[in-house]
Amino acid sequence: MSSTTSRPQPHPPAPGVDGPGGSVRDWLEGLPLLRADPPPFDPEDAPADPLELFLAWLGDAVAAGVPDPHALTLATVDPAGRPDARVVVLRDVDESALWVASSAVSPKGRQLDRVPVAALVFHWPQRGRQVRVRGGVRLADPERTAADFLGRPAQVRADALVARQSEALRHEGELADELGDATDLLRVEPHVVAPTWRLWGVDASRLEFWQASGDGQHLRLRYDRDESGGHRQTRLWP
Ligand SMILES: Cc1cc2nc3c(=O)[nH]c(=O)nc-3n(C[C@H](O)[C@H](O)[C@H](O)COP(=O)(O)O)c2cc1C
């Protein structure tokens, strides 16, 4: 970790060049990191249920005005074991899972269908906090999936009806034409649900709460589900 109080240069030097402006490596080293003053957190007082702590930290991020506090990185793997990751939004939290949604025919949808495991990362820089989640993935039932879909903005629903996320776009006209057709359909049938829409629950079998500390002794608390359905807590080295 590095930090600085001087103003960082906004533009990086050219890659591979070590001139008067320094190298990209020097430039990166000079960028500020973990500047937030994290709120009080005593792992000794952490609740038994990790999802209770997760919601408390998410609520704290919302109250602190962290932008997109419910955005997370969703990591998946394909059948060859190659990892993939992208940002999505958190759609729900219940007793045992964190829920995210997308198209079954997108790369992530195909990956989750073939290899139903995922990792999630939330990062709230203004609070010096990170939460990591790993677990198996299951599909929501059709009613819950439909409710999620119908709660999405019209633009997202139109995209999902076209169901071509991450395909090669040949030209802008193609996008406009297909989205136009889907938008027309939604106007006539506002309750239509895209058959390819999916809501996935990531089982909260392992969660880690990470909080920065000015002295580098970052606080880490991991929860692992045990045989009784409760969670074992473990403090981790920073
Ligand atoms: C803040 C933010 C939120 C996003 N939320 C979603 C989402 O909830 N679902 C989704 O399918 N894509 C979402 N995206 C787009 C994804 O990051 C990604 O580009 C898209 O889902 C295609 O991913 P894939 O090719 O790995 O399937 C979001 C992107 C950003 C930056």
Side-chain angles (χ1 to χ4, degrees):
M1 183 195 357
S2 67
S3 70
T4 179
T5 49
S6 63
R7 209 175 168 73
Q9 291 297 316
H11 301 296
V17 173
D18 203 356
S23 63
V24 172
R25 192 188 64 82
D26 292 339
W27 177 74
L28 289 172
E29 206 155 81
L31 296 178
L33 188 70
L34 296 174
R35 279 178 302 179
D37 238 349
F41 170 54
D42 182 355
E44 299 297 322
D45 291 338
D49 179 357
L51 291 175
E52 186 184 328
L53 185 57
F54 171 75
L55 288 175
W57 279 30
L58 178 59
D60 172 84
V62 171
V66 175
D68 301 342
H70 55 333
L72 59 120
T73 299
L74 163 70
T76 50
V77 280
D78 69 16
R82 288 174 300 212
D84 203 353
R86 77 293 290 157
V87 174
V88 297
V89 287
L90 180 66
R91 296 294 293 164
D92 199 2
V93 178
D94 62 19
E95 305 73 42
S96 62
L98 290 93
W99 297 84
V100 296
S102 187
S103 164
V105 296
S106 68
K108 76 182 92 48
R110 294 183 197 282
Q111 290 157 7
L112 288 171
D113 182 47
R114 303 281 302 279
V115 190
V117 293
L120 315 178
V121 183
F122 294 83
H123 180 209
W124 300 302
Q126 293 84 344
R127 307 304 272 163
R129 284 177 164 175
Q130 164 184 239
V131 175
R132 303 166 62 186
V133 182
R134 291 178 83 189
V137 169
R138 67 179 187 276
L139 279 173
D141 62 36
E143 291 72 31
R144 191 169 179 179
T145 305
D148 179 84
F149 183 78
L150 295 171
R152 289 273 170 145
Q155 173 69 52
V156 175
R157 282 181 284 139
D159 280 339
L161 282 167
V162 174
R164 298 189 61 180
Q165 190 179 52
S166 303
E167 282 183 24
L169 179 65
R170 279 171 298 178
H171 52 87
E172 288 294 327
E174 185 184 40
L175 178 67
D177 287 352
E178 296 212 21
L179 273 182
D181 290 348
T183 305
D184 290 346
L185 174 66
L186 282 175
R187 229 174 264 127
V188 183
E189 290 187 53
H191 297 296
V192 71
V193 175
T196 50
W197 196 248
R198 297 289 182 273
L199 180 65
W200 294 277
V202 181
D203 182 40
S205 49
R206 170 174 280 193
L207 286 89
E208 184 202 318
F209 295 82
W210 188 103
Q211 175 160 310
S213 172
D215 61 5
Q217 304 302 310
H218 311 306
L219 294 169
R220 297 180 66 190
L221 177 64
R222 193 174 74 203
Y223 288 75
D224 290 284
R225 185 171 299 122
D226 60 24
E227 310 70 43
S228 68
H231 283 85
R232 190 176 54 253
Q233 297 183 18
T234 311
R235 292 284 305 277
L236 303 177
W237 278 68

